Amino acid sequence: MAISMYQVSIPRFVHMLGNLSTILDKAHVYAESRKIDPATLPAARLFPDMLPLTAQVRIACDAANGVDTRLAGVTGPTFEDNEKTIADLKARVEKTVAF
């Protein structure tokens, strides 16, 4: 049985991005329950030498878009990299999955 590159890659990215969206939901609930400014978490780092959450989400989305555009031989969407809130990050994940 032959297996395509699509079958071994795109469903994995969709699954990973779904997990990322769930993590962002939990971060939003956490921020609300602790009365934390919503702009704090997207700029946060888990460790000092890590990129902030916004960069981590952008990298995950760009990696998924990069693979699928190369596999399909098409030009992918271009995002502005201007996300500032958890809702903005979730929207980027959703646009990536939709593409």
Side-chain angles (χ1 to χ4, degrees):
M1 178 173 112
I3 188 165
S4 71
M5 288 301 295
Y6 177 91
Q7 291 171 311
V8 297
S9 60
I10 302 306
R12 306 305 159 264
F13 281 114
V14 170
H15 181 77
M16 177 269 304
L17 291 169
N19 289 341
L20 182 55
S21 183
T22 300
I23 290 168
L24 292 171
D25 287 336
K26 290 181 180 200
H28 179 71
V29 169
Y30 177 81
E32 283 185 341
S33 71
R34 299 289 182 148
K35 306 287 190 251
I36 298 172
D37 177 14
T40 302
L41 291 181
R45 300 166 189 254
L46 291 177
F47 200 76
D49 67 349
M50 287 181 69
L51 294 171
L53 179 61
T54 52
Q56 300 287 341
V57 173
R58 289 173 187 158
I59 290 167
C61 291
D62 290 348
N65 279 333
V67 168
D68 62 7
T69 56
R70 286 181 189 92
L71 286 175
V74 299
T75 302
T78 303
F79 300 118
E80 295 180 29
D81 292 346
N82 60 357
E83 298 84 13
K84 301 230 183 302
T85 65
I86 292 174
D88 294 342
L89 294 172
K90 276 196 56 88
R92 183 176 181 132
V93 170
E94 290 166 4
K95 288 188 281 189
T96 301
V97 170
F99 175 72

